[in-house]
Amino acid sequence: MKRDTSHLRGRMARGRSLTVCAAVAAALIACQRRTADPWMSEIGAIERRLRADVAFLAADELEGRGTPGRGLDLAALYLETQLRAAGVEPAVSGSYRQPYRVGWYLPAEAKVSVTVNGRRLDPADYLLLNFGRDPDQGPIALAAVEAGTGVVAEERNVNELAGLELKGKAVVARKGAPWPLEPEAVFGPDRAIGKVMAATLRGAELLVYLSEELDRAEEAECRFFAEMKQAPVAFVRPAGFGHTSALSPILVVRPKAASIKTGDRIEVRIQARVEEGSAANVLGLIRGTDPKLGEEWVVMSAHYDHVGCRPAREGEDGVWNGADDNASGTAAVLEIARQAARRPGKRGVLVLLTSGEDRGVLGSAWYAAAPVVPMDRVAAQFNLDMIGRSDGRVQGIAPLSPSLYDEAVAAGRRYGLEVIPDQQPSWRVVYLTDLYHFARAGVPGIFFFTGTHADYHQVTDTADKIHYPELARITALAGEISRAYIDGAPRPRYERPAWFVTLD
């Protein structure tokens, strides 16, 4: 709590008693300590628990926690054991798990064929990044729509999709933008991921990304392509469930391979041995104590999955450990749940640990389709994802809830943290995280994030690289500001910006 003490200096200048000033200062310090003490008094123990949680979740033995998979199931068992030990109630008919069926296949074992107007392309001239498309749905057969570079960036008054009818179409976009590209950028409106999001949210079912570079190691985007083309592809079943995220498949094609024009017919066939398995979200409840506000909930969320394993030769590392992404956020939510269970508040707490986020927010899509508590009774969501690489700063990303950001800035000072705004607002990261399905339903939320780095979606994202003292302080920060709403503070405002487009 911060108070304006400028009047004290005036009193001192007028010769008022130093004793009065000292008493006021002591009262202010005591007030701050009362707020921070539940966390700061045991910050060392909190850090030790965070280290233990991250070490377990990011261990090689958990095989990258891919959805679905044995390692993911082991992680779920660990999480429910920790919640039970903390006194958190199971949320799903006596169970901590909310199961769903997942189909998946390995791209390396799949056969992909691409034709343009019936002419088959050479496989050396394209690669497919399949986000959420079930091969059993049949081929992707769509009419093309040319969209220049396909950039939508409202901040720069650029929208190359304006006026185009995209529903059920394949958007064709050249690599590039009306400005120079940053070689180390993976996301943004001028990159393939940003372009496919903009197209998908306007009804397109495929992005054809014309680029000479499919696998240039010099560019971060190409390194990302190289990693992701090896990662298992997963999707929710049954097939009629629908698309789960703001990402459709991306077909990267060398421009020399095909001159694709509006109206051309593009067909992508995927022949794959699809395995089917189960995955689960892990959910716990801490019930509210107030007769009225106890019917409302504060959601503490993080995804506990990562992208699994890749084929590796002997002596090579094939495990995407996902220590930062997102053992860090999962460990923080566990710790906040432990603290909240010690002292229930007026509102209830829903602990939501999702799977399938790195496969296209599968778990949160499933949860949104079958919520344990009604979405209109969720007062606020606090999402923690990749919070393990802080340099004393943390991003508080709340594009639809600016008041939550202001509260985080004020609280951060008490923990020696600088809370900074979204450092990549044009990325629209709300579409890529577990905020998405809640934001679509009108739930205010904030996403804590310490940024991408060279180990993002690489096998080098390991537990030894986590900045644990800072992780503990970020955990304390999120715990404190969420506590205000658990204890009954009025709901934060929800403000839907013009760029937040959904197919709803």
Side-chain angles (χ1 to χ4, degrees):
M1 182 180 296
K2 185 174 180 179
R3 303 279 180 84
D4 182 3
T5 58
S6 60
H7 62 290
L8 296 182
R9 293 193 297 272
R11 290 178 182 175
M12 290 171 68
R14 292 191 297 271
R16 294 292 182 90
S17 169
L18 292 177
T19 303
V20 173
C21 295
V24 173
L28 290 174
I29 292 169
C31 181
Q32 289 184 347
R33 284 180 176 167
R34 281 196 300 274
T35 303
D37 270 352
W39 290 98
M40 294 307 293
S41 62
E42 55 173 301
I43 198 73
I46 290 168
E47 182 182 331
R48 289 192 294 273
R49 287 193 290 269
L50 291 169
R51 284 180 181 271
D53 291 336
V54 171
F56 184 91
L57 293 168
D60 284 351
E61 289 78 6
L62 267 70
E63 302 171 348
R65 310 186 306 280
T67 302
R70 185 177 73 96
L72 185 78
D73 294 341
L74 287 172
L77 178 61
Y78 179 82
L79 297 174
E80 65 183 11
T81 300
Q82 293 298 314
L83 292 175
R84 184 178 294 110
V88 178
E89 177 184 333
V92 188
S93 302
S95 172
Y96 290 97
R97 300 197 195 191
Q98 182 187 47
Y100 58 99
R101 300 296 294 173
V102 179
W104 64 279
Y105 71 90
L106 295 173
E109 298 176 359
K111 294 181 180 179
V112 177
S113 65
V114 177
T115 60
V116 178
N117 293 331
R119 184 175 70 84
R120 191 164 183 164
L121 304 188
D122 187 328
D125 287 328
Y126 62 82
L127 68 85
L128 177 69
L129 302 178
N130 183 6
F131 294 106
R133 174 79 181 196
D134 187 339
D136 287 355
Q137 290 180 253
I140 304 171
L142 305 168
V145 176
E146 292 179 274
T149 62
V151 172
V152 176
E154 288 87 350
E155 295 90 341
R156 302 193 187 204
N157 295 316
V158 174
N159 185 347
E160 298 196 4
L161 302 184
L164 300 178
E165 177 51 56
L166 303 181
K167 189 172 182 180
K169 301 293 178 62
V171 170
V172 181
R174 302 187 311 273
K175 179 177 181 176
W179 50 78
L181 296 180
E182 294 285 342
E184 282 305 303
V186 175
F187 300 110
D190 51 8
R191 291 297 180 174
I193 294 294
K195 294 176 183 184
V196 76
M197 281 198 303
T200 300
L201 292 163
R202 291 161 176 81
E205 296 181 16
L206 176 72
L207 175 74
V208 180
Y209 187 60
L210 302 177
S211 172
E212 289 292 349
E213 297 87 15
L214 303 186
D215 52 11
R216 277 183 56 188
E218 295 83 7
E219 290 204 13
E221 181 178 66
C222 294
R223 294 196 300 272
F224 178 78
F225 289 166
E227 289 291 302
M228 289 301 95
K229 73 179 182 182
Q230 301 180 73
V233 174
F235 29 85
V236 173
R237 285 193 158 179
F241 179 80
H243 206 59
T244 58
S245 76
L247 298 175
S248 290
I250 301 174
L251 179 67
V252 188
V253 179
R254 298 188 199 275
K256 66 179 183 181
S259 177
I260 304 172
K261 305 295 184 185
T262 294
D264 286 351
R265 194 75 176 169
I266 298 171
E267 185 171 293
V268 180
R269 291 181 176 271
I270 305 169
Q271 292 180 287
R273 187 185 67 181
V274 176
E275 305 282 351
E276 188 166 321
S278 62
N281 299 321
V282 177
L283 286 78
L285 296 178
I286 303 165
R287 295 190 181 274
T289 60
D290 186 85
K292 184 175 181 181
L293 287 179
E295 297 298 315
E296 297 185 1
W297 300 86
V298 173
V299 173
M300 305 301 307
S301 64
H303 73 91
Y304 73 95
D305 70 295
H306 195 46
V307 291
C309 299
R310 68 180 183 186
R313 292 187 290 269
E314 187 175 352
E316 288 185 344
D317 187 354
V319 178
W320 286 293
N321 299 89
D324 189 27
D325 186 12
N326 182 38
S328 63
T330 301
V333 169
L334 272 183
E335 185 58 33
I336 292 168
R338 292 180 185 115
Q339 301 288 340
R342 292 181 186 177
R343 182 171 65 86
K346 293 181 178 181
R347 285 193 179 96
V349 177
L350 171 65
V351 180
L352 175 59
L353 300 169
T354 65
S355 54
E357 194 267 3
D358 274 315
R359 297 277 192 259
V361 294
L362 307 184
S364 58
W366 185 264
Y367 176 83
V372 170
V373 299
M375 285 291 198
D376 62 1
R377 292 185 184 174
V378 177
Q381 180 191 15
F382 296 84
N383 191 56
L384 292 93
D385 191 348
M386 293 183 64
I387 54 171
R389 297 292 189 93
S390 174
D391 57 0
R393 302 181 298 170
V394 61
Q395 296 177 46
I397 302 175
L400 286 74
S401 313
S403 64
L404 283 175
Y405 170 75
D406 294 338
E407 292 166 26
V409 170
R413 299 189 188 105
R414 292 192 281 276
Y415 297 103
L417 287 168
E418 182 185 1
V419 178
I420 58 177
D422 188 350
Q423 297 299 287
Q424 48 287 313
S426 65
W427 291 12
R428 311 303 192 215
V429 294
V430 65
Y431 290 126
L432 299 171
T433 71
D434 286 327
L435 280 181
Y436 175 51
H437 290 288
F438 284 84
R440 289 173 66 190
V443 175
I446 186 168
F447 161 38
F448 290 103
F449 177 55
T450 56
T452 58
H453 42 72
D455 300 312
Y456 174 69
H457 278 213
Q458 305 293 314
V459 297
T460 49
D461 181 9
T462 50
D464 58 299
K465 295 181 180 177
I466 299 297
H467 301 172
Y468 290 98
E470 291 81 4
L471 175 58
R473 295 203 298 273
I474 293 169
T475 302
L477 162 65
E480 181 181 323
I481 63 171
S482 61
R483 184 80 233 183
Y485 294 99
I486 296 168
D487 285 344
R491 292 188 182 201
R493 296 192 314 276
Y494 176 89
E495 301 176 16
R496 188 177 181 123
W499 58 259
F500 188 62
V501 178
T502 69
L503 292 172
D504 297 332

